[in-house]
Amino acid sequence: MTARVLVVDDLEPNVKLLEAKLRAEYFEVMTALSGEEAIRIAAEQQPDIVLLDVMMPGLDGFETCERLKANEKTWHIPVVMVTALDQQADRVAGLKAGADDFLTKPVQDIALFARVKSLTRFKQMTDELRHRHEAGARMGVLSQADLSKFDEQHATILAVTDCESIPALDQGSEHLPKHISVVYENDARMALEALRRGEPDLVLIDLSMESYDPLRLCSAIRAFDMTRLAPLLAIASRDETRHVVRALELGVSDYLMTPIDSEELAARVRTQLRRMRHIEHLRSSFDQTLEMAIMDQLTGLYNRRFLGAQGSRLVEEAHKSGEPLACLMVDIDHFKMVNDTYGHDAGDHILKEIAARLTTSVRGSDLACRTGGEEFAIIMPRTPRESAHEIANRVLRAVSGDKVKLDDGQTLDVTVSIGVSILHEGDKLATVLKRADEALYRSKQNGRNQVTDEAA
Amino acid sequence: MTARVLVVDDLEPNVKLLEAKLRAEYFEVMTALSGEEAIRIAAEQQPDIVLLDVMMPGLDGFETCERLKANEKTWHIPVVMVTALDQQADRVAGLKAGADDFLTKPVQDIALFARVKSLTRFKQMTDELRHRHEAGARMGVLSQADLSKFDEQHATILAVTDCESIPALDQGSEHLPKHISVVYENDARMALEALRRGEPDLVLIDLSMESYDPLRLCSAIRAFDMTRLAPLLAIASRDETRHVVRALELGVSDYLMTPIDSEELAARVRTQLRRMRHIEHLRSSFDQTLEMAIMDQLTGLYNRRFLGAQGSRLVEEAHKSGEPLACLMVDIDHFKMVNDTYGHDAGDHILKEIAARLTTSVRGSDLACRTGGEEFAIIMPRTPRESAHEIANRVLRAVSGDKVKLDDGQTLDVTVSIGVSILHEGDKLATVLKRADEALYRSKQNGRNQVTDEAA
């Protein structure tokens, strides 16, 4: 584990001291002598972590931290505040400014390396996701996360402790983000179960537990994919420093020393929850692009690409199992005329409405796609010819049964023409679709608003 | 750092010994007493790493490894072979079976934890990408990587050493994957430069270098995003074990002991290159879904979604800068009739051909999109009305100038109608597009194959 560390302090001897310590452990070090310089270097050089002195002339550490966290180029870089005094007020002010952690001067090696490694490990694990997401955001198809919204979501904290309660957690609820609920658990195995069911959003582990080795619990949580990045806060007393270091090595996200200050607890909980939600946002953005890649944006049906991929799979399965598979091709009648007469907006409205009626007429196992302008394909696995005709007629009635109401209140009669085909031995997807399309063409020739079989 | 380790050995005392060592360091341990059991558990439980005994009745270690690497559910899990004898032949056989590394019995703690941590760190860093990719593969829009193809790609190895050459690398070229070239570098700074330019695919670092601290070089390589996952092989002599452990901690991918066996070197190089290519494949799959999300599959033009995102951005910029912005709406004349007469395939062919002519008629700074069936929109930043008309007329001529040749050899006259509009103060994207669309409508009314201005 190595990392690029930006050391910020207005006093050069302090900078040199930290730089020497870090370089001896093979970290790469950059330095800045003021808040302004730190902000510039952080944006340009993208360090993995910033060690930030609190007391500086000009921009002090709090303000520098706030600006780093507000800048879209630097908000993701963890910031550790380095304070001369171990003052509770400073810690809370720093956390409110968005700092991820604290070190007290003179900086102890163990604490320094534990924090740097733990914070950069997390950053490096999420960097890949972040880079991909930013590519999508640059193209305008993915949105940047709105951090302020994260605080408004409901969250459940699971507190694992032998004690009946953690007073700071209950007292501190005025400081905690809104919509937080706390659940206590004194059985480590039950806690793990709850985590695997995805119940808690954050876990607090009391390192003074005696009923179960709390480090074993940390390890078990971190060893599973599903809970590898779950927020995990350790609580320890001053004489358990070695436990804390070990817990950080095992991947605990953060820790608090007893007696717990409720405001500090609240600030750390908020930081961890934001982080977790940010990862969730990054993950879901991939699912979003995937969805965009296979869905028709206007109608919400699957698109032609997905018809090709999934339809071919269904055809293969049908050949293997010997079960019948049916296809419908559906085309809206006189759509061009409607579009020209009532305008594009009306055309779009009709497409959406017909897609919706189609969706409610087919079954959950059917694959309904928009293949082009006003044309739809439906692949129906495990469906013989008779059932295919039943469903085709259901679609016909669903479309023609009720007039389509336009936004301006006008109503229109809309009908569709349908072609039906059944998978034959040796057919590819394209072949069976083509026969349905030819049958559809005959429906059009014979006066529209009707279902025609490939054999007719 | 913690991980879920699967220990495989037919002798229970061996299993118990490794289990105890690993559990004392807070690893989660699963066990299997045969190759068959190992394969089943690995597929079901998805450990982070497998420690696999070579000598077992039934499936031996080599065959078990081969099957694990051939199974799509387990191929990504690193396998460390545990051999009773430190025989070169076993090592090479293991590497050929796809093993990621070796441990020799009796297993030394330092070597054990160094290997387990290094291999699982890599796996955990790529797990996120892999999970996303698999979601895409399940939907059929992303392809699984074809590992065998990876070996056929060209690769450059950068060997950083004070020596003039590494004999095993030159001698060993018969064992190396085809299309490998080797470059030597004795200046660490130059090596780093080359890496940042993305030149080498794999770096060999000689840990006995004296001109520069080789560990510092490892750290510098790992500290940068761009080279964080680059394959990095260390070469060390037997008396440099401590160096090796430190190098592994800093993130070196693998190591070799001198004297180097050229076949072992070749096998390790192949493993590392495959891994690197696999990550590249995962990364590019995200870019692919992104592309699918913004491109029209048939014509390769941007789609309506991207027009909305990027077009709005261009409109905003134009309002800010005060520079003119123009829009064209383009619609193929009588397309429905062509489609009905010549069939869908001919229709698709015409759409592709017109899209290609459109692309060559507009400029690189213009945004050309297919907005629906046979309709296209072009947003032209920094373009006054006059230039917009010039380009519109160029499109008109590019379409009507040459007949479109269908696949069956028939040729068709195709024309388009075009509407032109210019961004006015306060316009949104939709407003300026709508005016171009209205102008397009007048082009149609007046006989098609012409350009009409919004003001006409």
Side-chain angles (χ1 to χ4, degrees), chain B residues 188-254:
Chain B
R189 270 159 289 244
M190 297 292 284
L192 208 53
E193 283 299 307
L195 257 166
R196 290 201 185 138
R197 285 193 304 269
E199 286 169 13
D201 299 291
L202 181 147
V203 182
L204 268 181
I205 294 185
D206 182 353
L207 292 187
S208 62
M209 260 184 111
E210 289 181 352
S211 63
Y212 190 89
D213 180 351
L215 292 177
R216 183 79 57 204
L217 178 59
C218 297
S219 155
I221 292 173
R222 283 298 179 248
F224 273 90
D225 249 20
M226 235 197 94
T227 53
R228 183 156 291 150
L229 298 174
L232 197 55
L233 274 177
I235 298 175
S237 62
R238 302 265 158 206
D239 54 359
E240 290 172 324
T241 319
R242 283 229 323 250
H243 264 57
V244 170
V245 171
R246 199 76 186 85
L248 286 168
E249 275 173 28
L250 290 174
V252 156
S253 326
D254 199 358

Side-chain angles (χ1 to χ4, degrees), chain A residues 12-151:
Chain A
E12 209 161 342
N14 289 351
V15 171
K16 292 283 170 211
L17 181 74
L18 272 178
E19 183 177 10
K21 275 180 197 272
L22 289 162
R23 283 188 58 84
E25 286 290 309
Y26 290 100
F27 286 97
E28 300 278 307
V29 181
M30 292 165 271
T31 61
L33 293 170
S34 71
E36 289 85 349
E37 201 186 353
I39 290 168
R40 187 174 50 73
I41 293 179
E44 282 171 17
Q45 310 270 335
Q46 296 284 307
D48 292 305
I49 189 165
V50 179
L51 300 184
L52 182 60
D53 183 38
V54 169
M55 301 271 283
M56 293 188 295
L59 280 189
D60 67 9
F62 300 129
E63 208 172 331
T64 304
C65 182
E66 245 166 46
R67 294 203 190 173
L68 286 169
K69 292 295 178 184
N71 184 334
E72 62 176 24
K73 284 185 184 160
T74 53
W75 67 267
H76 61 282
I77 304 171
V79 174
V80 178
M81 294 280 212
V82 185
T83 64
L85 318 153
D86 188 15
Q87 287 197 328
Q88 204 61 40
D90 269 12
R91 295 175 87 97
V92 173
L95 288 166
K96 282 194 175 156
D100 297 85
D101 207 343
F102 293 90
L103 288 168
T104 311
K105 289 184 199 173
V107 176
Q108 303 292 318
D109 285 8
I110 292 185
L112 173 66
F113 297 125
R115 301 320 288 138
V116 168
K117 284 184 185 173
S118 148
L119 287 168
T120 55
R121 186 190 307 131
F122 181 88
K123 172 173 175 294
Q124 291 176 2
M125 280 174 85
T126 52
D127 269 353
E128 282 285 342
L129 277 181
R130 196 172 46 79
H131 288 318
R132 305 300 124 194
H133 179 84
E134 278 170 7
R138 272 195 302 277
M139 292 190 183
V141 293
L142 292 176
S143 62
Q144 287 292 2
D146 181 352
L147 293 173
S148 66
K149 289 236 172 98
F150 289 168
D151 292 342

Side-chain angles (χ1 to χ4, degrees), chain B residues 152-166:
Chain B
E152 291 161 23
Q153 293 174 42
H154 180 267
T156 302
I157 297 180
L158 179 68
V160 190
T161 174
D162 291 336
C163 307
E164 290 224 335
S165 85
I166 296 170

